[in-house]
Amino acid sequence: MYYVYMLRCEDNSIYTGITTDINRRMSEHFNKTEKCAKYTKTHLSQKLECV
């Protein structure tokens, strides 16, 4: 199953993504791993807005 999600960033922008594992993907965004999205590397993710 695929999930579409929206993250609120520190500058109040919204990042939208898609994943099959929401917990893993949130960890990648919030911990800024190498698999983190290019956008969220420069725009600090604050919270998950919706799934």
Side-chain angles (χ1 to χ4, degrees), residues 6-46:
M6 298 173 81
L7 288 177
R8 174 77 57 186
C9 296
E10 189 175 63
D11 64 353
N12 214 30
S13 63
I14 298 285
Y15 172 82
T16 304
I18 188 169
T19 187
T20 56
D21 185 342
I22 196 74
N23 292 323
R24 175 189 49 81
R25 193 65 179 134
M26 291 306 103
S27 177
E28 291 170 354
H29 284 302
F30 292 125
N31 296 319
K32 296 199 180 295
T33 67
E34 69 177 45
K35 292 189 176 187
C36 171
K38 190 175 184 179
Y39 187 84
T40 57
K41 282 185 181 178
T42 59
H43 298 79
L44 300 175
S45 303
Q46 283 195 315

